[in-house]
């Protein structure tokens, strides 16, 4: 789970810099990112898994738009 977090957090930042995100979606993503960081600091595996799941869910729309952008060239 820590490896996934170490990969996912920078990837989210890169994606956020690449496509537009509405304020509500951005707030959900930032909240989920904060939960991942907090779980990493506390070294809580269960909380980290839960936070990563939340971040996955919060970034689904972002990932879809990023894929569309990539496919469009």
């Amino acid at each position: 789970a820590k490896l996934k977090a170490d990969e996912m957090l920078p990837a989210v930042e890169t994606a956020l810099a690449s496509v537009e995100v509405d304020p509500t979606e951005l707030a959900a993503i930032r909240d989920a990112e904060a939960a991942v960081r907090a779980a990493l600091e506390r070294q809580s595996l269960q909380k980290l898994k839960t936070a990563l799941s939340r971040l996955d869910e919060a970034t689904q729309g972002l990932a879809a738009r990023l894929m569309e952008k990539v496919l469009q060239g």
Side-chain angles (χ1 to χ4, degrees):
K2 184 183 181 313
L3 180 61
K4 182 175 180 178
D6 289 343
E7 293 172 352
M8 194 164 184
L9 290 171
V12 169
E13 289 306 315
T14 300
L16 287 172
S18 301
V19 295
E20 290 186 32
V21 181
D22 72 66
T24 302
E25 182 181 21
L26 181 60
I29 291 169
R30 293 299 188 205
D31 286 347
E33 282 180 319
V36 169
R37 284 185 170 74
L40 283 170
E41 286 178 17
R42 292 186 183 99
Q43 298 181 0
S44 171
L45 181 59
Q46 187 56 44
K47 288 186 184 215
L48 181 56
K49 287 180 179 180
T50 300
L52 284 169
S53 177
R54 187 172 150 204
L55 185 56
D56 275 335
E57 186 176 319
T59 57
Q60 284 183 0
L62 175 64
R65 286 191 307 282
L66 186 59
M67 285 302 295
E68 285 177 22
K69 182 178 179 180
V70 168
L71 292 174
Q72 291 176 356

